[in-house]
């Protein structure tokens, strides 16, 4: 209430200055402060933009000593500023109880979630808290209402994830062959083995071996370890360790005007790294896993 009285006091000052045909610097500074205060309380730019235009027009008119234009712009400023203040009073000032009520629903709902579902839900509710901290009640209310409205959909995703989670633990294998009708020497095998443990741990082995193109032979293997979780119908893979077990490459060089061919080895260094920045994290839709991989082992 005190904040609203402060806004009204500023408006009264501007009205009195315009009524007395004065367009002083103090009036403009006061209007500027009022607009900044309204913006800080979450009044949208679409409401504040017009009084800002009139404020600019007044200052430009004063700079050119066009006092008539300045007074006309000041009258429009008064009208638009009062409209912005009414918007604040009707749309925002009384929203706090509604925001608090929605936040209570959000807090109670989050108790139903764990793991990745809880992290996702908290990331949404954190936006509401950040708006509330800076007293942007309109934005806080809109986001909180959106979250509460999506709880049913969110719960459906959680239920879907619970059902899928029982069918995922095991070893999944994907094998791809690289062959060419134009070059019979092209013959390489790419293999991926994804192992999902029931305790949430995961291991991913990816390798390739053979001639993958007219001028390239590959023999490499990468091993990743970490954890896995399900959100909705998507498996999220969180890689915490990545190792390049081998990286052997050979490239074909054509020498002596095409008379001689020579394969040259181009090995890359192996390494073993801890991953802390999420750079190796990935996700795969369950439908893609079922389509591209074969579950060779199932853990019960």
């Amino acid at each position: 209430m005190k904040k609203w009285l402060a806004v009204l006091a500023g408006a009264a000052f501007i009205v009195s200055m315009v009524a007395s045909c004065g367009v002083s610097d103090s009036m403009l500074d006061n209007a500027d402060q009022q607009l900044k205060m309204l913006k800080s309380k979450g009044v949208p730019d679409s409401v504040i933009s017009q009084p800002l235009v009139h404020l600019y027009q007044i200052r430009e008119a004063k700079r050119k000593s066009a006092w008539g234009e300045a007074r006309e712009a000041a009258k429009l400023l008064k009208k638009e500023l009062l409209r912005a203040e009414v918007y604040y009073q009707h749309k925002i000032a009384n929203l706090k109880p509604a925001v608090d009520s929605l936040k209570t629903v959000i807090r109670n709902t989050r108790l139903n979630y764990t793991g990745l579902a809880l992290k996702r839900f908290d990331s949404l509710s954190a936006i509401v808290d950040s708006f509330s901290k800076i007293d942007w009640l309109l934005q806080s209310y809109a986001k909180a209402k959106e979250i509460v409205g999506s709880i049913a959909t969110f719960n459906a995703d959680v239920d879907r994830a619970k059902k899928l989670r029982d069918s995922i633990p095991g070893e999944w294998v994907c094998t791809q062959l690289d062959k060419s009708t134009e070059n019979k020497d092209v013959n390489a095998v790419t293999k991926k083995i994804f192992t999902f443990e029931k305790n949430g741990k995961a291991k991913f082995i990816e390798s390739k071996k053979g001639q993958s193109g007219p001028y390239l032979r590959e023999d490499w293997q990468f091993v990743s370890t970490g954890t896995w979780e399900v959100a909705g119908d998507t498996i999220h893979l969180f890689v915490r360790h990545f190792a390049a077990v081998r990286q052997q490459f050979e490239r074909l060089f054509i020498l002596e005007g095409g008379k001689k061919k020579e394969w040259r080895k181009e090995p890359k260094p192996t390494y073993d790294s801890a991953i802390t920045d999420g750079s190796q994290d990935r996700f795969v839709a369950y439908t893609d896993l079922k389509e591209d991989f074969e579950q060779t082992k199932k853990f019960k």
Side-chain angles (χ1 to χ4, degrees), residues 85-148:
E85 290 163 349
V86 168
Y87 183 98
Y88 171 79
Q89 183 186 37
H90 291 170
K91 297 282 189 179
I92 300 177
N94 299 318
L95 277 180
K96 193 173 188 311
V99 172
D100 290 342
S101 177
L102 290 169
K103 289 173 71 174
T104 298
V105 174
I106 292 171
R107 282 195 298 270
N108 291 337
T109 301
R110 76 180 296 276
L111 299 176
N112 300 323
Y113 307 134
T114 58
L116 187 57
L118 179 60
K119 292 178 184 178
R120 292 177 64 205
F121 194 77
D122 281 347
S123 68
L124 295 174
S125 60
I127 300 174
V128 178
D129 293 334
S130 64
F131 282 142
S132 297
K133 286 179 182 178
I134 60 176
D135 213 17
W136 281 28
L137 294 177
L138 184 65
Q139 289 81 353
S140 183
Y141 174 78
K143 189 62 183 179
K145 190 175 180 181
E146 177 189 331
I147 293 172
V148 171

Side-chain angles (χ1 to χ4, degrees), residues 210-218 248-255 261-268:
Q211 186 169 333
S212 56
Y215 305 97
L216 181 65
R217 292 173 180 169
E218 302 179 64
Q248 302 295 330
F249 300 93
E250 291 183 62
R251 196 172 302 277
L252 179 64
F253 288 83
I254 308 299
L255 307 174
K261 297 180 179 180
E262 181 179 314
W263 286 95
R264 296 179 183 176
K265 293 183 178 181
E266 297 181 351
K268 304 292 183 182

Side-chain angles (χ1 to χ4, degrees), residues 16-53:
S16 65
M17 291 300 292
V18 173
S20 62
C21 298
V23 189
S24 66
D25 289 338
S26 60
M27 172 217 162
L28 300 181
D29 290 342
N30 187 273
D32 194 33
Q33 289 301 314
Q34 292 303 117
L35 289 170
K36 288 179 179 178
M37 178 180 174
L38 290 169
K39 184 176 178 64
S40 72
K41 299 304 176 187
V43 176
D45 290 339
S46 59
V47 176
I48 293 177
S49 60
Q50 197 57 50
L52 284 173
V53 168

